[in-house]
Amino acid sequence: MTTYPVSPNTVLANALKHAEDVLTPRVLDVAPDRIVFVVGTQINGAPHIGTSLVQSLTFAVAARIRDKFGVPTEVRFGALDNAPYAIVTDQKSGHRYQQSYAHALGEQGVVEQVDKLYRPLFAALSERLHVPYSVETYSQQQAGEHFRRTWLLALPRMDAARWWLAPSSGVAHLRVPCPRPACGWAEKHAERTHVRHVSAERATVSAVCMHHGEYEVTIDPDGGGYLDLATLYRNLIKELAVTSRRGALYVMVKGGDWVFGSQLVDGALQALGLTCGQLPARLFCPMILSDTGAKLSKSLIREGRATLPEGAAPWMLDTRDWPGSLPEYIDKLLNTAEVVLSDPRHFFRSYSAGELGRMMTSPAARSVPAP
Ligand SMILES: [Zn+2]
């Protein structure tokens, strides 16, 4: 009998019986009392199928790991509301300025966006697989004392890490949006942003607003000033913050496109003194690809620079367009997750949009035990 999908063997798949076994050495090493699966998404519009797939796989793997090791697992959803909402060029300096979703929509607006676009899927996945979840926006995370102390502690040692975070320039960007009410613009590339480490409890950051001129923001553990970090820098601090937590094992779940960038984050973590065993566990999920083999990109299609791949449907770019109910969508997603997890060969690979569309809509896709 033929099975579907068909996936080639790889070195990693060949070494495993089940995809989630890739986490076993870390679980045995840490012997955690709980395992937290961390999955982040930029809050910039409706989710596409790649996002939904990673999120459903996160819950599915969390359930399998819980059952395998008898350790409670949970999912933490990081809602990246520091994603740019608007980008403009300042006429005077010629520098690019950005305003984040958090600053454009406000805290309440972001909460509503998350409740509308993400929470129904998370709540349903959580209920179906009995895995609890929580949501944290980046704004909440950066305001937290532990995150700020972690950054303040890392700051004097950034000389060791900065070439990992920015191999081309050696400048790891951070932004402090203008604190004036109803402003919140920040220089995208932080050309005129300067950080001064004052003490273990305090740093000051000076910057220039395109509307309000020079300003200075104090960052201390209690939460004054908004600390926005460039992507790799943010991951460094976020992961440093969780590795200092005792008792829990954190698993960073990401799309496969992060395989390459994570090498730099791992380098930065080790430059700051972490040993290999202290690095967070990572799980890279399958990517959804266009016909060219590039990642399916909603923004490229929207900008007219790429076309909807063959066999793909509009709902794959905006999952609100799924032609059915949410429970049906979740059934299909979980069925697809089961298929993908049924054999390591199906997990450690990517899927074209057309193939994933077939797996989501045809009844032929089914789980098969690993040979
Ligand atoms: Zn301003």
Side-chain angles (χ1 to χ4, degrees):
M1 185 189 274
T2 54
T3 57
Y4 179 81
V6 176
S7 304
N9 207 356
T10 63
V11 173
L12 179 55
N14 201 39
L16 305 169
K17 190 156 184 233
H18 303 288
E20 66 272 20
D21 294 346
V22 78
L23 297 172
T24 297
R26 298 307 307 277
V27 178
L28 295 179
D29 183 42
V30 176
D33 50 32
R34 66 194 174 103
I35 303 174
V36 185
F37 289 80
V38 182
V39 62
T41 299
Q42 286 203 336
I43 299 302
N44 54 358
H48 69 79
I49 183 62
T51 311
S52 287
L53 182 68
V54 170
Q55 291 169 348
S56 51
L57 283 169
T58 304
F59 277 92
V61 171
R64 283 167 175 251
I65 290 287
R66 174 201 59 208
D67 296 344
K68 183 180 167 87
F69 292 99
V71 177
T73 57
E74 60 190 86
V75 171
R76 184 172 300 169
F77 177 51
L80 297 173
D81 58 348
N82 57 331
Y85 178 84
I87 299 173
V88 299
T89 302
D90 173 31
Q91 296 306 322
K92 262 183 293 179
S93 64
H95 295 172
R96 306 277 277 164
Y97 274 78
Q98 72 171 47
Q99 195 183 38
S100 72
Y101 271 77
H103 289 88
L105 304 184
E107 196 177 333
Q108 193 52 39
V110 168
V111 168
E112 283 166 20
Q113 181 108 336
V114 171
D115 284 352
K116 194 173 71 189
L117 295 176
Y118 293 94
R119 208 177 273 277
L121 177 66
F122 272 75
L125 290 170
S126 171
E127 197 186 304
R128 294 277 293 270
L129 296 171
H130 310 290
V131 175
Y133 80 103
S134 59
V135 177
E136 184 178 51
T137 63
Y138 177 73
S139 296
Q140 291 165 339
Q141 187 177 44
Q142 64 80 33
E145 181 182 343
H146 185 62
F147 185 90
R148 285 176 173 243
R149 283 195 187 278
T150 303
W151 178 70
L152 286 165
L153 209 62
L155 199 50
R157 293 180 288 159
M158 279 304 289
D159 249 357
R162 63 193 179 94
W163 286 101
W164 286 104
L165 299 179
S168 299
S169 66
V171 182
H173 290 154
L174 65 84
R175 288 177 284 262
V176 284
C178 174
R180 292 282 194 100
C183 186
W185 288 93
E187 253 178 350
K188 183 167 176 52
H189 301 297
E191 291 93 339
R192 292 176 289 181
T193 301
H194 301 287
V195 188
R196 197 161 55 88
H197 184 248
V198 180
S199 70
E201 297 275 309
R202 193 161 179 239
T204 57
V205 187
S206 61
V208 182
C209 175
M210 63 176 168
H211 299 305
H212 303 107
E214 288 178 27
Y215 60 93
E216 194 173 86
V217 169
T218 299
I219 306 288
D220 60 34
D222 300 330
Y226 192 103
L227 182 62
D228 187 14
L229 304 174
T231 307
L232 295 178
Y233 197 171
R234 181 183 70 240
N235 277 267
L236 170 73
I237 300 301
K238 186 179 89 175
E239 294 181 6
L240 266 183
V242 299
T243 44
S244 59
R245 298 281 197 208
R246 289 189 174 277
L249 172 66
Y250 286 81
V251 180
M252 304 294 156
V253 187
K254 292 184 182 301
D257 51 328
W258 263 88
V259 167
F260 311 112
S262 292
Q263 296 180 62
L264 295 177
V265 180
D266 286 343
L269 286 165
Q270 290 175 85
L272 291 187
L274 262 61
T275 60
C276 201
Q278 290 174 306
L279 300 179
R282 301 189 187 284
L283 184 68
F284 299 107
C285 296
M287 273 195 290
I288 312 296
L289 307 183
S290 69
D291 294 339
T292 68
K295 186 171 82 160
L296 181 68
S297 165
K298 189 162 135 180
S299 46
L300 282 184
I301 292 170
R302 197 169 44 207
E303 290 162 15
R305 294 162 65 198
T307 51
L308 194 64
E310 201 169 318
W315 66 263
M316 302 183 86
L317 297 182
D318 184 338
T319 58
R320 291 173 301 180
D321 293 338
W322 167 259
S325 66
L326 180 66
E328 281 166 6
Y329 181 61
I330 287 156
D331 281 344
K332 297 290 187 186
L333 266 181
L334 285 177
N335 183 55
T336 302
E338 277 302 304
V339 172
V340 167
L341 280 165
S342 67
D343 185 324
R345 296 183 193 191
H346 297 336
F347 190 88
F348 297 104
R349 56 162 288 185
S350 297
Y351 290 88
S352 70
E355 179 74 345
L356 197 88
R358 284 188 286 278
M359 288 166 69
M360 283 283 287
T361 52
S362 92
R366 58 189 185 82
S367 320
V368 288

